[in-house]
Amino acid sequence: MYKIIDKKVLNSTVEQMTILAPYVARKCEPGQFIILRVNEDGERIPLTIVDYDRDEESVTIIYQVVGYSTRQLSKKEIGDHVEDFVGPLGQPTHLQKHKRVLGIGGGVGIAPLYPQLKKLHEMGVEVDVILGGRSDEFIILEDEVKAFAENVYFATNDGSRGKEGFVTDVLKELLDEGNVYDEIIAIGPLVMMKAVVDVTKPLGIATGVSLNPVMIDGTGMCGGCRVTVGGETKFACVDGPDFDGLLVDFDECLRRQNMYKEEEHACRVGLGGENYA
Ligand SMILES: Cc1cc2nc3c(=O)[nH]c(=O)nc-3n(C[C@H](O)[C@H](O)[C@H](O)COP(=O)(O)OP(=O)(O)OC[C@H]3O[C@@H](n4cnc5c(N)ncnc54)[C@H](O)[C@@H]3O)c2cc1C
Ligand code: FES
């Protein structure tokens, strides 16, 4: 059992929790994730390690309440426990000591982006960031990112914060203005990451992405998280979740994501999760 020692509501659908998990806290690095089960009979939920405190032996996660299991997690409060908290899983991100990097985070994708950018800053890399969301309410971790970023730009679908439009609109402007980045790290919905790569690939700008296909065992055994990268089959749980975005077959990822949509909808019926469909 793993004790919840802090909980914050970040907006109407996103919450943050800090959980005592000594083994994970001792070993984890940016880019890695955990799989938790809320209860003994619960489903396994993969969530990125957003932050960790090795002295306190705690790990911070941020989750969007989208379906049954994340709704069960949301019912837990400080002092409660979760049944399992397995990790660190996946590969740490290969962060390079570049001169200048641009991070692009969409929606809850800002959560996995944050630990990577924070580490790059600690390595002496100059970091610019574009934060995007449906509206101002869905921009998370703004203060945390501002603590180290040189420049922070915003894009919202409804124009309630920053540029009205997509993160790629801001990206194109920055590149048109002559900004040079050694690497771009984009994390968010698949369509967003694909759109970023559509801009960066023709220009040959190195672009890292983080894939989150449906995961079941998280050990490379079930094949659920199969993705094609550079023509090779990879498993996001053990080979990723971070990959070279210029080599990812996004069209296949999108097809596989849509393949599960109907089943997930059917699974949620009667469990109360249909409200989040
Ligand atoms: C490596 C990795 C890291 C992730 N990190 C985060 C994070 O930091 N914050 C966050 O909010 N979400 C994260 N996710 C997605 C998160 O795991 C799912 O949103 C969660 O499992 C949904 O569970 P549910 O029962 O509430 O929803 P369900 O009703 O089961 O599904 C709702 C939606 O969640 C997605 N989903 C469901 N099960 C999985 C699964 N096993 N793997 C991936 N996606 C799934 C589906 O595409 C669906 O659209 C991550 C996923 C992966 C693979
Ligand atoms: S989750 Fe089973 S192979 Fe990756």
Side-chain angles (χ1 to χ4, degrees):
M1 298 282 268
Y2 297 83
K3 189 174 181 182
I4 298 162
I5 58 166
D6 195 27
K7 180 180 177 184
K8 285 190 192 104
V9 174
L10 301 187
N11 61 44
S12 59
T13 61
V14 180
E15 297 175 359
Q16 173 176 316
M17 257 182 201
T18 302
I19 295 179
L20 284 182
Y23 182 80
V24 184
R26 252 177 257 145
K27 302 260 171 189
C28 62
E29 293 292 338
Q32 293 187 295
F33 66 98
I34 53 91
I35 291 190
L36 69 77
R37 278 194 316 153
V38 181
N39 304 309
E40 211 174 274
D41 54 356
E43 273 185 338
R44 296 154 63 82
I45 322 175
L47 293 170
T48 305
I49 296 166
V50 175
D51 214 346
Y52 50 86
D53 185 325
R54 301 222 201 269
D55 296 331
E56 191 183 52
E57 301 194 315
S58 68
V59 171
T60 298
I61 50 170
I62 289 181
Y63 54 92
Q64 187 165 18
V65 184
V66 285
Y68 181 70
S69 299
T70 43
R71 203 173 171 197
Q72 294 303 105
L73 181 61
S74 166
K75 286 182 186 157
K76 296 278 182 183
E77 298 298 339
I78 296 172
D80 289 343
H81 294 78
V82 295
E83 186 71 27
D84 289 335
F85 198 85
V86 177
L89 299 169
Q91 299 297 325
T93 315
H94 180 59
L95 296 169
Q96 297 186 60
K97 204 178 171 327
H98 288 304
K99 191 171 177 301
R100 198 174 183 212
V101 166
L102 175 68
I104 307 179
V108 81
I110 299 163
L113 179 69
Y114 167 72
Q116 301 191 20
L117 298 183
K118 186 177 160 194
K119 181 79 182 262
L120 282 170
H121 168 73
E122 286 165 8
M123 290 162 63
V125 178
E126 187 184 316
V127 175
D128 281 359
V129 188
I130 307 173
L131 301 180
R134 270 183 287 152
S135 68
D136 188 25
E137 189 204 339
F138 297 101
I139 304 278
I140 57 169
L141 298 178
E142 176 181 340
D143 292 341
E144 287 80 353
V145 165
K146 278 183 170 167
F148 58 75
E150 299 285 327
N151 299 292
V152 183
Y153 309 93
F154 297 92
T156 48
N157 297 13
D158 63 1
S160 53
R161 186 68 184 274
K163 185 166 187 67
E164 180 175 346
F166 298 119
V167 287
T168 40
D169 296 325
V170 180
L171 168 64
K172 283 180 203 152
E173 277 178 10
L174 291 175
L175 296 176
D176 287 347
E177 284 165 12
N179 287 284
V180 175
Y181 296 103
D182 302 306
E183 186 179 2
I184 290 175
I185 304 175
I187 310 184
L190 267 181
V191 282
M192 182 209 100
M193 294 188 285
K194 182 179 178 347
V196 169
V197 167
D198 285 343
V199 175
T200 58
K201 198 170 183 172
L203 301 171
I205 306 172
T207 307
V209 297
S210 180
L211 301 180
N212 60 348
V214 168
M215 287 187 185
I216 300 154
D217 61 358
T219 67
M221 300 293 281
C222 72
C225 68
R226 179 168 59 81
V227 291
T228 304
V229 183
E232 288 178 30
T233 297
K234 300 279 180 191
F235 297 109
C237 65
V238 288
D239 299 319
D242 293 334
F243 291 103
D244 179 341
L246 305 191
L247 299 180
V248 168
D249 184 341
F250 280 104
D251 293 332
E252 181 194 61
C253 293
L254 285 161
R255 273 198 307 276
R256 281 175 65 81
Q257 189 182 58
N258 291 334
M259 204 166 79
Y260 291 118
K261 280 246 154 71
E262 277 303 305
E263 287 168 29
E264 277 158 9
H265 178 73
C267 290
R268 289 202 298 272
V269 172
L271 294 175
E274 58 271 30
N275 294 340
Y276 297 95

